[in-house]
Amino acid sequence: MRLGGAISKRPLILGTSSYGPTNCADYLGWGREKTRRYHRRLKRIFRLFGIYDACSNVRNASRLIVWSEYARSLHLNGSKRPDRIAVIPPGVDVPLRSSTESIHKAGVLFVGRDFRRKGGEVLLEAWRRIGKGKERLIMIGFDGTDLPDWVEHHPYVAPQVLRNHFYANSRILAFPTLAE
């Protein structure tokens, strides 16, 4: 079933991520030929199972909504109408901190499982140069074996604790991602 198909002849496509050729090169470091073979196989599987694929059908979309500028840039090659590609970043509802609560424990928060791809190295280098000592740097979601001792690290935090404590009490969410 196509979302938006009942409204118009062209579907509205919501894309949370992208797996196009540029994305395969960025995320996986694949060369041109390996990426081409992968996409040929994937398209055959999609046709076989009747899967409506956002990346292959961008030209037929009345509107494409993606989560990041990076995802938008991946789709621009397949679209003759870049004005039909909108970026709506995902959000997280967090409880509001009351004005009487102390934020002395708050700091700069980085969350991501893939430390390198999410820009963790970039953030650490920037922190070494300008941030160290001004705010706490809190990093969540990866093994953290090579982190300096001045970083507060948590390999895993339950989603509710992440939302209600870390997101709600951090002054800044740093997300210097290299590919999204």
Side-chain angles (χ1 to χ4, degrees):
M1 182 172 102
R2 294 181 188 165
L3 182 62
I7 300 168
S8 73
K9 293 179 183 176
R10 292 177 294 172
L12 168 69
I13 300 174
L14 303 172
T16 60
S17 187
S18 301
Y19 62 88
T22 306
N23 206 25
C24 287
D26 287 351
Y27 279 121
L28 306 172
W30 289 2
R32 182 179 219 150
E33 187 53 37
K34 185 173 183 176
T35 300
R36 190 176 10 245
R37 283 193 314 266
Y38 167 76
H39 282 281
R40 275 196 309 260
R41 281 189 217 124
L42 202 56
K43 285 181 182 182
R44 277 183 279 192
I45 291 169
F46 285 175
R47 274 194 303 273
L48 179 67
F49 291 102
I51 297 170
Y52 189 82
D53 166 44
C55 288
S56 300
N57 293 292
V58 173
R59 289 187 179 120
N60 298 325
S62 59
R63 194 90 167 126
L64 177 63
I65 301 170
V66 296
W67 285 11
S68 68
E69 287 296 333
Y70 176 77
R72 183 177 188 276
S73 72
L74 294 175
H75 289 288
L76 285 175
N77 293 336
S79 176
K80 294 182 180 182
R81 298 287 309 274
D83 58 310
R84 291 186 180 169
I85 304 173
V87 176
I88 301 176
V92 176
D93 287 332
V94 295
L96 293 176
R97 180 178 49 232
S98 74
S99 60
T100 60
E101 285 185 75
S102 169
I103 60 169
H104 74 277
K105 290 187 178 180
V108 176
L109 178 65
F110 170 91
V111 180
R113 288 186 190 160
D114 189 336
F115 180 76
R116 186 173 172 272
R117 183 175 58 84
K118 296 291 186 182
E121 292 170 345
V122 172
L123 180 58
L124 281 179
E125 181 56 31
W127 205 261
R128 281 184 182 98
R129 291 181 184 190
I130 61 170
K132 204 165 130 183
K134 294 183 171 133
E135 295 270 357
R136 263 184 348 157
L137 177 59
I138 305 163
M139 301 184 103
I140 297 174
F142 54 94
D143 74 9
T145 54
D146 294 329
L147 290 177
D149 59 359
W150 42 265
V151 173
E152 179 181 328
H153 176 253
H154 303 271
Y156 173 80
V157 172
Q160 200 168 28
V161 173
L162 181 63
R163 182 176 68 84
N164 293 336
H165 176 71
F166 288 99
Y167 283 154
N169 292 306
S170 294
R171 293 171 43 88
I172 297 170
L173 175 61
F175 195 61
T177 184
L178 302 177
E180 251 341 279

